[in-house]
Amino acid sequence: MSKMAEQPRSMESRVGRTNQRYGSKGERLVAGVVPLSHDKTRVLMIQSAGRGGWVLPKGGWETDEVLAQHAACREAWEEAGVICTVHKDLGLIPDMRPSSHLTMTAPKASYQFFEVTVEREEDQWPEMHKRKRQWVTYAQAAAALASRPELLEALNRSSLKR
């Protein structure tokens, strides 16, 4: 994949689901990134805003974004404060949560992840006050994502060195 044109970056996170895209079965379409260091030995993780654990940047693919990779890179900016280059589409990953964990605010989702290289880490970003970020090894990331099978699957599809 090619380097994406620099999109204007807002210091405001998008909120709400009025522009959210949904799939043919009513599932929420979510785009995310597996942000790798240039040597592919580390992955950048962020603190989950809700549960406090460590996760990969991801969020809703919105109707004004032509490609899922645009949404994924916007989420990387909003949540992790990074500018990234997309290298590989890691494909679609189904929501693996049991139906008992689905709610009106957390409906079934379909995830599309992209492997990206982090080009820059900015000092200020939209969600800096509610999320920390940290570079970790594969083993650390896999342990942190043990309870999130869809995120672990994205990590395992990436070319992060194990």
Side-chain angles (χ1 to χ4, degrees):
M1 297 217 173
S2 61
K3 201 172 186 118
M4 298 201 31
E6 282 274 323
Q7 300 291 322
R9 283 181 299 279
S10 169
M11 284 303 285
E12 296 291 319
S13 287
R14 293 186 180 196
V15 293
R17 300 225 170 123
T18 50
N19 296 322
Q20 170 67 52
R21 284 183 190 248
Y22 293 92
S24 59
K25 299 183 191 77
E27 71 280 19
R28 184 169 169 248
L29 300 182
V30 174
V33 295
V34 180
L36 303 182
S37 57
H38 280 275
D39 64 3
K40 297 185 176 171
T41 61
R42 294 178 306 147
V43 60
L44 187 70
M45 295 189 73
I46 58 167
Q47 257 181 329
S48 168
R51 303 179 321 150
W54 293 89
V55 296
L56 298 169
K58 60 166 178 41
W61 176 14
E62 299 194 352
T63 52
D64 64 340
E65 294 165 312
V66 178
L67 301 172
Q69 66 192 54
H70 294 156
C73 289
R74 174 182 51 77
E75 290 293 341
W77 163 247
E78 288 178 2
E79 297 184 349
V82 296
I83 312 307
C84 56
T85 302
V86 174
H87 291 289
K88 189 161 74 177
D89 183 342
L90 299 174
L92 294 173
I93 300 171
D95 195 330
M96 300 177 208
R97 290 175 295 167
S99 56
S100 60
H101 289 200
L102 301 175
T103 64
M104 287 300 287
T105 54
K108 199 156 206 56
S110 176
Y111 298 90
Q112 185 164 8
F113 275 87
F114 297 89
E115 181 175 311
V116 301
T117 301
V118 173
E119 303 300 338
R120 283 199 321 271
E121 287 179 66
E122 299 292 350
D123 293 333
Q124 296 193 334
W125 69 96
E127 298 185 14
M128 61 188 281
H129 299 296
K130 59 181 175 183
R131 298 182 193 272
K132 292 187 174 77
R133 61 186 177 197
Q134 69 173 349
W135 288 99
V136 299
T137 63
Y138 171 81
Q140 291 169 313
L145 297 175
S147 66
R148 298 295 300 272
E150 71 286 355
L151 303 184
L152 184 57
E153 176 64 22
L155 182 73
N156 286 332
R157 290 184 187 185
S158 79
S159 48
L160 178 65
K161 292 185 175 130
R162 282 140 176 87

